[in-house]
Amino acid sequence: MGTVKISFKLNGCDMNVEVLPNTLLVDLLRDVLGLKGTKVGCREGECGVCTVLLEGEAVNSCILPAVKVGGKSVVTIEGLVKENGQLHPIQQAFISEGAVQCGFCTPGMIMNAKALLDKHPHPSDGEIRSGISGVLCRCTGYRKIVQAIKTASQAGGRK
Amino acid sequence: MSYAFKDFHWTRHIPIKNYFLPKTLSEALNILAEYQGRALVVAGGTDVLPQLRRREIDAEALVDITHLPDLKSIEERGERIALGALVTHASITSSPLVREKAKLLADGAGYLGSPQIRNIATVAGNLVSGQPAADTSTPLLALDASVTIASKDGERIVPLTKFFLDTGKTILDCRREILTRIEFNALKEHHGCCYLRLSQRKALALPILVCGVLVKVDKKRRVIEEAAVALGPVAPIPFRAIRVEEALRGSPISKEIIEAVGTIAIEECNPRDSLLRGSSLYRKEMAKVFVKRGLQKALAQVGFPVT
Ligand code: FES
Ligand code: FES
């Protein structure tokens, strides 16, 4: 099976990689590029823990062939941290509100929250809930997750 | 090919050998022809990828049509609205044109899967998958949609009522043909419409029952001029409840007629007992409730609340 060369932007950096035609984006990120922040659970598009931003939109990287991101921009949870190591306001809010239990869903939740706040800086509770409706929290701590996203939006959690 | 679920539910491997991203329609059709049925068309891939991984379908190569030009637009063309094959559920739900002139489709598309799925899953793909519960099928059936299918022999336009054959099966051969366009009626002021959906949870849950309703009223005579009622998944394919529509056509707006067509709706459904979706009896009863509720909502929109 021949490899395919793709170029894309990952967390703001230019990437040139060779992938197989059947490599999924989540496996490229985790196993080849070593970015283990993005989690993988169901591999079915059901649980949302593998969410990344593709051209600013939340997508499930477990059902996205890596070749599809050629020429596009991808942001993962690692891309939210500032260069000086300072956490993104949404990440900060998840910590301060106690919205992380085992933490498995957290990257997916935060990436969906980011996509939401980029579009609607001040979402209603309902909009927050539908914004994260594609991520399953196995620990079921939804209340605090919603609260954290609210806190982040009040703190201007866009950047 | 049949593998036991236990053998493959956990594999991560997608068994394809090639992935093509053609730049033109003819290039895509040529690749499909070369592969003689061993290559499969894919757009968003939200159905195809999991099915390949679970070995429910088999393909040597995927022909990804997302780089084809001119298939992303949502346009009004006279009395109709045309969607390119690459229009996603998210763009339908947020399109001002569709929200204004085909609200039930915008609503249906907004229920599918999750935000992440709606961002890449296409409406055309939702039709091609041929599932009787597909969230855009019943609204599009009610809107008298037709689809354009391209193949090496040229194009053909098929009404959606003739498109579905059986669960997971349509007249389109997705190893040789490509659905390029969907067209449907743009609604006017004297139209009322709604989409109703019953599911176990409010998000990321397959529907137990879906119903698209459309009415056109003669306001002066207080008469239902035309009605369209589409139902799924209460038969192998989503369908228009023709006898319900016939009974409504030309009838004065009244509580009695709504009650009467609810009973007819039961006779038009043939759902199976399902552990996932409930018993046949329950879903027939709910089909009646939904047809009645849908008509009440649609009529209320055009100024005729019937309670
Ligand atoms: S791992 Fe991607 S949705 Fe569950
Ligand atoms: S914190 Fe454990 S899955 Fe959400």
Side-chain angles (χ1 to χ4, degrees):
Chain A
M1 186 164 25
T3 57
V4 187
K5 281 196 179 117
I6 55 166
S7 311
F8 66 108
K9 261 205 163 36
L10 178 58
N11 298 330
C13 304
D14 289 322
M15 300 294 294
N16 296 297
V17 287
E18 276 185 34
V19 297
L20 292 171
N22 63 357
T23 303
L24 295 163
L25 180 61
V26 75
D27 297 322
L28 170 68
L29 293 171
R30 290 177 53 88
D31 298 350
V32 181
L33 303 174
L35 297 181
K36 305 259 179 179
T38 305
K39 303 298 177 228
V40 61
C42 65
R43 289 183 181 271
E44 298 265 305
E46 289 281 333
C47 74
V49 294
C50 62
T51 305
V52 301
L53 303 186
L54 177 65
E55 300 284 282
E57 307 273 7
V59 299
N60 292 322
S61 61
C62 71
I63 49 173
L64 197 75
V67 287
K68 260 172 155 345
V69 308
K72 306 214 163 129
S73 102
V74 175
V75 177
T76 67
I77 186 78
E78 288 88 353
L80 297 198
V81 181
K82 285 217 186 105
E83 258 168 43
N84 61 11
Q86 198 192 336
L87 293 181
H88 187 279
I90 304 175
Q91 294 174 307
Q92 201 56 60
F94 267 67
I95 297 172
S96 62
E97 295 295 339
V100 181
Q101 294 185 61
C102 77
F104 190 63
C105 72
T106 311
M109 288 288 181
I110 292 179
M111 295 318 283
N112 276 280
K114 168 96 168 72
L116 174 71
L117 294 184
D118 284 347
K119 278 210 184 105
H120 309 283
H122 300 289
S124 65
D125 271 27
E127 284 167 334
I128 295 179
R129 294 165 83 105
S130 57
I132 57 164
S133 61
V135 194
L136 262 163
C137 177
R138 278 89 172 157
C139 305
T140 71
Y142 292 102
R143 214 169 238 277
K144 294 196 169 185
I145 293 169
V146 172
Q147 184 54 48
I149 297 170
K150 224 181 191 168
T151 305
S153 82
Q154 284 152 2
R158 252 145 77 56
K159 271 137 263 165
Chain B
M1 196 161 49
S2 82
Y3 292 107
F5 176 75
K6 66 171 173 31
D7 294 334
F8 280 103
H9 78 285
W10 189 234
T11 182
R12 57 164 65 184
H13 184 248
I14 307 287
I16 54 156
K17 297 200 179 73
N18 255 315
Y19 197 101
F20 297 98
L21 283 152
K23 294 243 170 357
T24 64
L25 184 61
S26 59
E27 192 187 338
L29 292 169
N30 282 338
I31 302 171
L32 291 172
E34 256 167 52
Y35 270 84
Q36 297 179 355
R38 287 170 292 118
L40 195 65
V41 176
V42 65
T46 54
D47 278 339
V48 170
L49 269 297
Q51 285 170 358
L52 278 170
R53 191 186 59 78
R54 293 195 296 254
R55 309 302 193 264
E56 285 166 11
I57 51 173
D58 175 28
E60 212 167 282
L62 293 181
V63 179
D64 185 318
I65 59 168
T66 51
H67 288 195
L68 300 193
D70 310 323
L71 294 181
K72 290 201 175 128
S73 62
I74 304 175
E75 286 168 357
E76 198 169 2
R77 292 187 188 165
E79 311 262 276
R80 306 272 276 174
I81 295 172
L83 306 180
L86 298 177
V87 171
T88 62
H89 288 76
S91 41
I92 279 289
T93 14
S94 60
S95 153
L97 175 66
V98 179
R99 296 200 71 81
E100 190 199 328
K101 298 196 170 168
K103 178 82 168 37
L104 76 169
L105 176 61
D107 289 349
Y111 279 114
L112 177 119
S114 65
Q116 302 98 298
I117 302 281
R118 292 195 288 275
N119 280 338
I120 49 169
T122 62
V123 177
N126 198 227
L127 296 182
V128 172
S129 290
Q131 292 305 318
D135 278 301
T136 57
S137 302
T138 42
L140 284 168
L141 278 170
L143 290 163
D144 284 329
S146 57
V147 295
T148 305
I149 297 172
S151 74
K152 287 219 86 162
D153 311 321
E155 270 188 3
R156 56 187 171 137
I157 295 177
V158 183
L160 197 58
T161 44
K162 299 261 157 65
F163 182 74
F164 302 108
L165 295 179
D166 199 351
T167 302
K169 206 166 170 249
T170 71
I171 60 158
L172 175 137
D173 177 356
C174 49
R175 293 165 187 269
R176 287 186 176 83
E177 301 174 304
I178 299 173
L179 197 165
T180 52
R181 203 168 56 240
I182 304 168
E183 266 190 40
F184 52 89
N185 289 340
L187 302 184
K188 306 212 181 79
E189 316 80 64
H190 51 272
H191 279 118
C193 70
C194 80
Y195 179 72
L196 297 174
R197 186 191 214 252
L198 179 68
S199 58
Q200 290 188 348
R201 287 177 292 134
K202 290 207 179 108
L204 252 176
L206 290 175
I208 292 168
L209 183 67
V210 294
C211 175
V213 173
L214 189 66
V215 288
K216 181 178 172 196
V217 295
D218 181 333
K219 292 199 176 180
K220 274 207 199 101
R221 293 168 48 224
R222 302 178 61 88
V223 159
I224 300 173
E225 262 180 54
E226 286 290 339
V229 174
L231 288 164
V234 281
I237 59 172
F239 63 93
R240 287 273 292 262
I242 304 290
R243 289 181 47 221
V244 169
E245 295 176 3
E246 273 166 8
L248 289 166
R249 192 170 305 133
S251 159
I253 299 169
S254 70
K255 204 175 165 177
E256 288 69 35
I257 185 69
I258 292 183
E259 213 40 66
V261 297
T263 314
I264 303 178
I266 297 187
E267 294 159 16
E268 296 230 47
C269 304
N270 186 20
R272 284 186 313 182
D273 287 321
S274 152
L275 286 176
L276 221 67
R277 296 199 161 113
S279 67
S280 167
L281 198 68
Y282 170 68
R283 281 193 289 158
K284 279 187 179 173
E285 193 59 28
M286 283 311 292
K288 173 172 107 187
V289 173
F290 265 33
V291 167
K292 282 167 37 182
R293 193 181 292 167
L295 284 167
Q296 282 171 336
K297 280 196 164 188
L299 287 167
Q301 269 172 29
V302 279
F304 293 97
V306 187
T307 42

